[in-house]
Amino acid sequence: MLSEEPRRRRWWVHPIVSQRLQKGHFHTLYFDLRHNPQKFQGYCRMSVATFDILLASLRSGLAFQDTTMRRSISPEERLLLTLRFLATGNSFASLHYEYLLGISTISGIVCHTCQLIWQRLREAVMPTPTADDWLRIADGFYQSSQFPNCIGALDGKHIRVKKPPHSGSQYFNFKQYFSIVLLALVDSNYRFIIVDIGDYGSTADSRIFCSSRMGERLRANQLALPEPRRLPRSSASAAPFVIVADEGFALSPHVMRAFPRRDLDDRKRIFNYRLSRARRYVECAFGILSNKWRVFTMAIQLDPATVDSVIKACCVLHNYAREYSQDIDMESQLPVINTAMNWGPGRPTNSGVRVQDTFADYFLTSEGAVPWQYSCVGGVQAIQWI
């Protein structure tokens, strides 16, 4: 068989792309946007000051050498292009016509910049928690949701993706679309404490948690959790520090979930209500993440490895924005969560049931109750406050 001759390129640089320095979005909009902070915020989802701090952290990894053939793309343009992709979810073909860069060039820039954001910023904005950090997180949950000894809210989010080639039904989830799972532990300031990214959409949250490094370290007592302490103003024995989660996770001494819907009395309803007040923070964090970075509102048309990098970058940027800017009204985005939940898979341990009962009993005492809990669960009993 005769070998085919390689196709000759019609242009070294396409005539339209060659006008990038005169007509590309970066060169026509960037400096005007910097003089209009509100428009800049809407364009790349962060303030000018936050962008400059981020750019300073990444500049050395985004700067490339000019050659005799062409000038390199500046760090400012690389970062702005990546943020615009994350903020809108526009396809690389669409960004090609806006920035007048090749589609393969845009793909390489976005992938490299997302990886760099994770590598450079993770230790700064998502460090490995110490015992003091866990205590600070627990104090934050008690102040905001009145749930003591809580070190985080845990849940999984399905990130919609295009079906990867030759993947069968591995990525097909119970919601009837293809996805990659983001499992996250969140504090009361809507910040991600620990994330686990990349599991198949067909895998249940509980199985992902059990096989994740976070779950393995929790079972092996390697998360540097503080020693159990008494619940506030209580004279009872010390209670362990716990993670609050939904019915998809198994009950254990360090993971609390709601009582099943059947045979609910006021005690169980109140526990479910108090747990949902703490658990809402992870739901809100996912909502804030998706509202800010609109790439999550549609199926991501990238290979799974690049999707993992995009998710990691967005989680880090979420914490980064919480650290350096306060431009989001968090309380207005708190969802209303149903306190009557279904009992999910996973057999509860006896020690987990005992810890659950400890919290349920505490919420009925004058030391642990809040004035509005009975009205919120439809009960009529009143509390005699000391």
Side-chain angles (χ1 to χ4, degrees):
M1 185 175 63
L2 297 177
S3 60
E4 296 183 0
E5 295 185 2
R7 187 178 63 175
R8 298 182 61 184
R9 299 181 61 170
R10 297 179 62 187
W11 301 284
W12 173 251
V13 178
H14 194 281
I16 294 179
V17 176
S18 66
Q19 302 178 66
R20 179 174 67 90
L21 299 180
Q22 294 77 36
K23 297 183 179 181
H25 266 204
F26 175 79
H27 298 278
T28 58
L29 281 179
Y30 177 66
F31 295 102
D32 290 337
L33 288 172
R34 290 186 65 89
H35 289 92
N36 293 271
Q38 186 175 2
K39 295 294 185 182
F40 191 95
Q41 174 82 38
Y43 189 83
C44 64
R45 311 300 286 170
M46 64 177 58
S47 66
V48 177
T50 305
F51 178 87
D52 289 341
I53 297 172
L54 178 62
L55 179 62
S57 302
L58 304 177
R59 181 179 290 276
S60 61
L62 295 176
F64 291 84
Q65 186 176 2
D66 294 336
T67 69
T68 56
M69 302 295 295
R70 65 183 67 186
R71 293 173 54 186
S72 63
I73 301 170
S74 67
E76 290 85 354
E77 186 169 3
R78 289 172 175 271
L79 181 57
L80 192 72
L81 171 63
T82 302
L83 293 177
R84 185 60 178 169
F85 167 73
L86 300 178
T88 63
N90 287 351
S91 66
F92 292 162
S94 176
L95 294 172
H96 159 69
Y97 291 106
E98 295 175 3
Y99 283 81
L100 300 184
L101 289 166
I103 294 177
S104 60
T105 302
I106 292 174
S107 175
I109 289 174
V110 170
C111 183
H112 172 260
T113 306
C114 286
Q115 292 173 353
L116 188 66
I117 289 172
W118 173 259
Q119 294 167 2
R120 293 286 179 90
L121 300 182
R122 188 189 68 82
E123 286 297 330
V125 301
M126 201 187 298
T128 302
T130 63
D132 290 338
D133 292 330
W134 291 124
L135 289 173
R136 175 184 53 78
I137 292 169
D139 291 342
F141 269 104
Y142 184 66
Q143 292 296 326
S144 60
S145 65
Q146 293 76 52
F147 199 105
N149 287 21
C150 176
I151 57 171
L154 178 70
D155 203 0
K157 177 177 176 59
H158 287 271
I159 307 298
R160 190 187 294 265
V161 299
K162 179 183 177 182
K163 180 184 180 297
H166 314 296
S167 61
S169 61
Q170 287 180 320
Y171 291 89
F172 196 69
N173 63 33
F174 69 98
K175 298 181 179 181
Q176 307 299 306
Y177 61 82
F178 297 94
S179 66
I180 287 175
V181 179
L182 161 61
L183 185 73
L185 186 69
V186 174
D187 67 12
S188 61
N189 196 30
Y190 311 95
R191 291 166 54 97
F192 295 113
I193 307 170
I194 302 174
V195 295
D196 185 87
I197 299 164
D199 274 281
Y200 300 131
S202 61
T203 310
D205 289 348
S206 183
R207 290 184 60 187
I208 295 173
F209 177 67
C210 289
S211 61
S212 68
R213 188 182 178 197
M214 172 173 45
E216 292 174 350
R217 294 184 65 191
L218 180 64
R219 291 193 300 274
N221 197 25
Q222 296 177 348
L223 280 182
L225 297 184
E227 292 296 321
R229 69 178 181 185
R230 290 181 178 178
L231 301 179
R233 301 187 301 276
S234 173
S235 59
S237 59
F241 287 84
V242 298
I243 294 169
V244 295
D246 65 14
E247 65 276 15
F249 296 87
L251 183 68
S252 71
H254 290 293
V255 179
M256 291 290 101
R257 69 177 186 184
F259 285 103
R261 180 178 297 182
R262 61 182 181 274
D263 301 325
L264 281 178
D265 54 20
D266 278 356
R267 172 177 171 273
K268 293 179 179 179
R269 288 192 182 95
I270 288 171
F271 175 85
N272 288 1
Y273 166 70
R274 298 290 293 273
L275 182 137
S276 72
R277 281 174 53 81
R279 195 179 65 82
R280 65 182 180 174
Y281 287 94
V282 66
E283 304 284 357
C284 292
F286 287 150
I288 294 166
L289 180 74
S290 297
N291 286 334
K292 190 177 186 70
W293 306 113
R294 308 293 290 179
V295 68
F296 295 129
T297 62
M298 60 195 75
I300 304 177
Q301 308 289 316
L302 302 174
D303 64 273
T306 306
V307 173
D308 290 353
S309 297
V310 167
I311 299 172
K312 289 178 180 179
C314 288
C315 289
V316 167
L317 289 172
H318 172 91
N319 282 9
Y320 186 85
R322 295 291 300 127
E323 183 75 24
Y324 290 100
S325 63
Q326 299 291 333
D327 49 17
I328 301 175
D329 181 10
M330 300 295 176
E331 294 300 324
S332 66
Q333 303 187 44
L334 293 180
V336 177
I337 299 177
N338 185 8
T339 59
M341 304 177 187
N342 292 319
W343 189 261
R347 184 181 298 275
T349 63
N350 291 333
S351 55
V353 172
R354 287 195 295 270
V355 174
Q356 188 183 44
D357 287 337
T358 297
F359 281 93
D361 293 337
Y362 172 74
F363 293 146
L364 292 179
T365 65
S366 58
E367 292 84 7
V370 293
W372 60 86
Q373 64 186 24
Y374 283 98
S375 61
C376 288
V377 300
V380 296
Q381 182 177 350
I383 293 283
Q384 296 295 327
W385 297 95
I386 299 178

